[in-house]
Amino acid sequence: MTSIRKRPSHTLTELEGAALAVIQALNACTPYQVRQNFLSSRSREWSGSAGAVYPAIRRLHAAGLLRAKETEDARHSVRFSLSATGRKAFEAWLKDAERACGSGLDPFRCRADWWDILPAVDRRVLLRALARKLQQRLEMLEDLEARPDTEERRGLSLEMELHKTRLRWLERVLAEP
Amino acid sequence: MTSIRKRPSHTLTELEGAALAVIQALNACTPYQVRQNFLSSRSREWSGSAGAVYPAIRRLHAAGLLRAKETEDARHSVRFSLSATGRKAFEAWLKDAERACGSGLDPFRCRADWWDILPAVDRRVLLRALARKLQQRLEMLEDLEARPDTEERRGLSLEMELHKTRLRWLERVLAEP
DNA sequence: GTGCCCATGTAATCTGTTACATGATTAG
DNA sequence: CTAATCATGTAACAGATTACATGGGCAC
């Protein structure tokens, strides 16, 4: 009897799902392009390190989710696109409400419960510093939004709203006793 | 010459930081108590698996951040508390605005950019399903908040606000063309 | 042709996961 | 006394990170 698999074949990691999304969007692209897409993305969710991207794409290919087409150029690089299985797996990842609605690992929320244990003065200083940093990120995102060449407008506006929510929360805590 | 260390001694993982927070809060506790605290936490950020907690505490101890005091009971279990170095490291973790204000790996935001590529009908069905799921989580959190024995009220209210923000974002997208 | 960037990786390591193991304690 | 459960782990493995390697193409 085989033991229960940790990750059943139909479940993708977040990075794998995102890689499929990029490949789907660019419709046949090289691992390098996927990596560049991750690197240029303003979200620092992943480093987009070669050591993550190339093996992930190899895994997806080995699992039959990707079809490879070798190009003619001298570097004989390989362009990948989604197979039928791959499209199905990607759709499942995209529609996975359970994972989408989990909170993930939010470093802000993770610390929020503990800031209270600081001495009052320290805490106020820290919360104000956090508010400044959030404000700063928000302005950065606003600049990004203003640029006409920015993709990912959906995620951008969502991220800005989330930052604003954190800011409001900070201000509410600061306004307390 | 030694190569640059990936993780300099003064940087903690999120789990290590959270473990220090629990140990600090309980003021001298066993690894088991730390683990129970993670397990009982409503946040599913980590599994609180033994294979993560025990090694993490051993690491922190080996790094001199924790002091161990063996108890007298037959299980001769060990209670840990923060050393001076440990308090300093924990404070640094707690006050790390750079990490706190990053967005972490948010599975909702991660997918938000790609939902647009679905056919309009599919997308509306999905977004409504997501809204229901978020609503459901929100109600669960409200119940939790209503219970008098709930700790982590700060993080709880923040998490609820973040969920509400996601809900509003969904409704805004649904209200479009 | 030499130096530099492009594109693709590999190696070592680190942290976390699941699944299993094991001795102590307590309920019956 | 025996069985469940408490408390503490270990083993095998997965997936990511950093740092390094390598070979092709192009600027000068």
Side-chain angles (χ1 to χ4, degrees), chain A residues 6 29-30 36 55 61 106 109 130 134 140 148-149 160 170:
Chain A
K6 180 175 107 174
C29 64
T30 63
Q36 291 308 307
H61 185 216
D106 176 350
R109 206 200 57 60
L130 290 169
L134 279 177
M140 201 244 301
D149 60 324
M160 288 169 62
L170 275 176

Side-chain angles (χ1 to χ4, degrees), chain A residues 62-133:
Chain A
L65 307 192
L66 293 179
R67 301 211 128 279
K69 206 188 328 176
E70 194 152 335
T71 57
E72 304 303 333
D73 58 29
R75 225 188 277 270
H76 55 72
S77 56
V78 182
R79 300 192 161 268
F80 292 95
S81 43
L82 300 203
S83 66
T85 324
R87 273 191 297 276
K88 200 152 273 183
F90 171 56
E91 200 178 303
W93 176 84
L94 195 60
K95 295 185 175 178
D96 184 343
E98 204 59 47
R99 285 170 81 190
C101 296
S103 16
L105 205 163
D106 176 350
F108 191 94
R109 206 200 57 60
C110 184
R111 287 163 174 78
D113 278 321
W114 307 108
W115 285 326
D116 271 349
I117 74 179
L118 290 170
V121 184
D122 270 36
R123 189 173 73 238
R124 295 189 75 81
V125 171
L126 174 60
L127 295 191
R128 274 199 264 266
L130 290 169
R132 271 197 306 280
K133 172 124 325 210

Side-chain angles (χ1 to χ4, degrees), chain A residues 114 117, chain B residues 19-29 81-82 87 90:
Chain A
W114 307 108
I117 74 179
Chain B
L20 288 184
V22 172
I23 292 170
Q24 169 92 315
L26 300 188
N27 196 25
C29 64
S81 43
L82 299 203
R87 274 190 297 276
F90 171 55

Side-chain angles (χ1 to χ4, degrees), chain B residues 4 6 30 32 35 50-51 54 58 75 77:
Chain B
I4 293 162
K6 180 175 107 175
T30 63
Y32 183 74
R35 189 172 170 227
Y54 286 95
R58 184 142 22 111
R75 227 188 276 271
S77 57

Side-chain angles (χ1 to χ4, degrees), chain A residues 20 35 42 106 137 146 170-171:
Chain A
L20 288 183
R35 190 173 168 226
R42 89 249 160 246
D106 176 350
R137 300 234 166 177
L170 275 176
E171 276 153 20

